[in-house]
């Protein structure tokens, strides 16, 4: 004998919220119990945790990281205590570009849309909501509303192949080969990486958009040469001048700065010191002066990573509500 479970209007609304934050499967398990026997003793209470959607293999270190990210009640790690010396990294991406409907890796799923991608260390996500993470990685409120609203996001926790190593270089003097390393994205390192990518870039006048997962491209040869021959004095001005002033002033410095944004995702909030610009203000009105560790490494297909785990972070939603007078 089975029972029919009928959801109230409020329960239907709550069900949508559960799905948004990654608890749909847990709720469905409870409903199945009710269908079988509504008088049964419910399972032991457990604190809500994020759902592990996919993993290729779970070594003990990766399992520990995943467990901490899943646990929203985990104590947050102070920024000063974050450790950049790790083999494991994390990046947030939209679920729709990563997994199929049955939570298998999409065949061509990649870390990002540029030849090099930004990520951070997993400890920075411990005990944090999706909104906390957005603010930690420099998303402002208008950016979240415009670009991230209703977008289901996942945390991709991964380890690179042994051939890709962490570099200690911060002054832009990249070692050969330069493209098998993880770097701290200082201004000097970014300038050097852009120069290396420009040397290997293609010229594609008819290509639309800025998607370039494997190789940088320019619309004209003159634009490519502009990047390759941009003077050191201009780079120093870009380092010393804030984004808004560069934009208003215009000229060659702004053209180069805008290309950094379009080609490498070096956005307005980029500090160039290896930390994100934290947008969180405490209850006392104090804004943190340090953020998460920021790292940059080669783009790669997710299926080529030796270890990977994908955790559901849910999504942020907004809706209009009307009240009758």
């Amino acid at each position: 004998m089975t029972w029919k479970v009928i959801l109230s209007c409020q329960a239907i609304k709550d069900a949508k919220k559960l799905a948004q934050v990654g608890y749909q499967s847990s709720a469905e398990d409870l409903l199945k119990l009710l269908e079988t026997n509504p008088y049964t003793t419910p399972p032991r209470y457990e604190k809500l945790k994020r759902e592990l959607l996919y993993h290729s293999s779970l070594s003990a270190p990766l399992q520990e990281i995943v467990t901490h990210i899943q646990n929203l009640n985990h104590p947050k790690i102070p920024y000063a205590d974050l450790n950049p010396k790790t083999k494991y990294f994390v990046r947030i991406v939209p679920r729709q570009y990563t997994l199929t409907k049955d939570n298998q890796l999409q065949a061509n799923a990649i870390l990002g849309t540029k030849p090099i991608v930004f990520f951070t260390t997993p400890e920075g996500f411990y005990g944090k909501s999706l909104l906390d993470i957005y603010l930690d990685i420099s998303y402002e409120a208008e950016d979240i509303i415009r670009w991230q609203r209703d977008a289901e996001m996942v945390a991709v926790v991964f380890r690179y192949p042994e051939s890709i190593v962490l570099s200690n270089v911060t002054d832009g003097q990249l070692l050969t080969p330069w493209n098998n390393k993880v770097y701290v994205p200082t201004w000097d390192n970014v300038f050097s990486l852009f120069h290396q990518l420009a040397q290997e870039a293609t010229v594609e006048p008819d290509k639309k958009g800025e998607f370039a997962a494997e190789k940088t491209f320019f619309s004209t040869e003159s634009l490519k040469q502009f990047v390759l021959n941009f003077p050191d004095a201009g780079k120093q001005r870009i380092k010393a001048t804030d984004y808004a002033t560069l934009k208003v002033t215009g000229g060659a410095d702004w053209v180069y700065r805008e290309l950094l944004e379009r080609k490498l995702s070096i956005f307005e909030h980029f500090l160039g010191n290896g930390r994100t610009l934290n947008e969180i203000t405490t209850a006392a009105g104090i804004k943190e002066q340090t953020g998460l560790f920021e790292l940059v490494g080669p783009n790669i297909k997710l299926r080529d990573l030796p270890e990977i785990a994908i955790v559901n972070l849910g999504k942020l939603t907004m809706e209009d509500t009307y009240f009758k007078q």
Side-chain angles (χ1 to χ4, degrees):
M1 177 179 178
T2 59
W3 296 75
K4 183 178 181 180
V5 178
I6 300 176
L7 300 180
S8 67
C9 292
Q10 184 59 52
I12 292 173
K13 292 181 180 179
D14 291 340
K16 293 179 180 178
K17 294 177 182 178
L18 285 173
Q20 289 167 3
V21 292
Y23 303 133
Q24 180 174 340
S25 61
S26 298
E28 289 175 346
D29 290 341
L30 291 174
L31 290 176
K32 289 177 183 177
L33 285 177
L34 291 175
E35 286 179 336
T36 303
N37 181 6
Y39 303 105
T40 189
T41 301
R44 288 178 58 84
Y45 167 79
E46 294 181 358
K47 292 181 179 179
L48 290 176
K49 66 178 184 179
R50 292 175 168 130
E51 184 178 2
L52 174 61
L53 300 174
Y54 174 87
H55 66 86
S56 58
S57 63
L58 278 181
S59 63
L62 181 56
Q63 176 67 73
E64 182 179 7
I65 290 169
V66 167
T67 300
H68 292 333
I69 291 177
Q70 286 181 288
N71 180 13
L72 286 165
N73 296 289
H74 190 287
K76 296 177 182 178
I77 308 298
Y79 298 111
D81 295 341
L82 295 176
N83 179 17
K85 303 295 184 181
T86 175
K87 294 193 300 182
Y88 294 95
F89 308 103
V90 63
R91 175 176 168 84
I92 66 169
V93 297
R95 179 176 180 174
Q96 64 173 322
Y97 300 132
T98 307
L99 297 172
T100 62
K101 290 183 179 180
D102 57 351
N103 289 331
Q104 297 301 306
L105 274 187
Q106 293 187 21
N108 295 316
I110 50 180
L111 281 176
T113 61
K114 309 296 183 189
I116 58 174
V117 294
F118 286 84
F119 41 82
T120 186
T121 54
E123 294 86 354
F125 282 17
Y126 293 175
K128 292 180 180 176
S129 68
L130 179 57
L131 179 59
D132 288 336
I133 294 170
Y134 278 142
L135 296 175
D136 250 344
I137 57 178
S138 310
Y139 279 93
E140 296 181 344
E142 57 266 32
D143 295 326
I144 296 172
I145 294 171
R146 181 182 303 170
W147 305 114
Q148 308 302 329
R149 177 179 177 178
D150 295 326
E152 188 172 6
M153 305 299 289
V154 296
V156 178
V157 188
F158 66 96
R159 176 173 64 83
Y160 274 119
E162 295 296 335
S163 58
I164 298 175
V165 298
L166 187 63
S167 171
N168 293 322
V169 171
T170 58
D171 61 1
Q173 301 300 311
L174 309 184
L175 301 177
T176 303
W178 63 271
N179 57 355
N180 69 336
K181 296 176 178 64
V182 173
Y183 297 98
V184 176
T186 61
W187 274 115
D188 290 335
N189 280 354
V190 164
F191 292 144
S192 293
L193 287 168
F194 196 25
H195 187 86
Q196 294 288 349
L197 290 167
Q199 284 185 318
E200 300 178 2
T202 58
V203 175
E204 302 183 51
D206 299 325
K207 189 170 183 176
K208 306 298 182 182
E210 293 295 345
F211 181 86
E214 297 181 2
K215 184 174 288 189
T216 301
F217 74 93
F218 295 99
S219 58
T220 64
E221 179 64 29
S222 62
L223 202 56
K224 175 177 177 176
Q225 293 304 317
F226 169 80
V227 172
L228 291 174
N229 295 294
F230 192 72
D232 289 340
K235 295 173 183 177
Q236 293 305 312
R237 288 192 298 270
I238 289 173
K239 287 172 61 174
T241 309
D242 66 87
Y243 183 94
T245 301
L246 286 170
K247 186 174 183 178
V248 170
T249 304
D253 290 356
W254 171 245
V255 173
Y256 187 90
R257 180 63 183 85
E258 190 179 26
L259 283 170
L260 284 174
E261 184 167 342
R262 287 166 45 199
K263 301 301 181 181
L264 299 188
S265 299
I266 308 294
F267 294 114
E268 178 179 358
H269 51 69
F270 180 72
L271 295 177
N273 64 2
R275 291 275 190 165
T276 61
L277 175 62
N278 194 300
E279 294 292 341
I280 296 177
T281 301
T282 67
I286 300 172
K287 191 169 183 177
E288 296 282 357
Q289 296 303 305
T290 59
L292 303 178
F293 277 108
E294 196 168 35
L295 298 160
V296 64
N299 197 7
I300 190 172
K301 288 185 177 181
L302 299 190
R303 67 184 182 189
D304 293 334
L305 293 165
E307 285 190 87
I308 179 175
I310 299 178
V311 180
N312 192 357
L313 297 178
K315 61 182 176 180
L316 297 180
T317 63
M318 294 180 64
E319 60 183 29
D320 297 323
T321 303
Y322 300 93
F323 297 94
K324 292 182 179 180
Q325 296 292 333

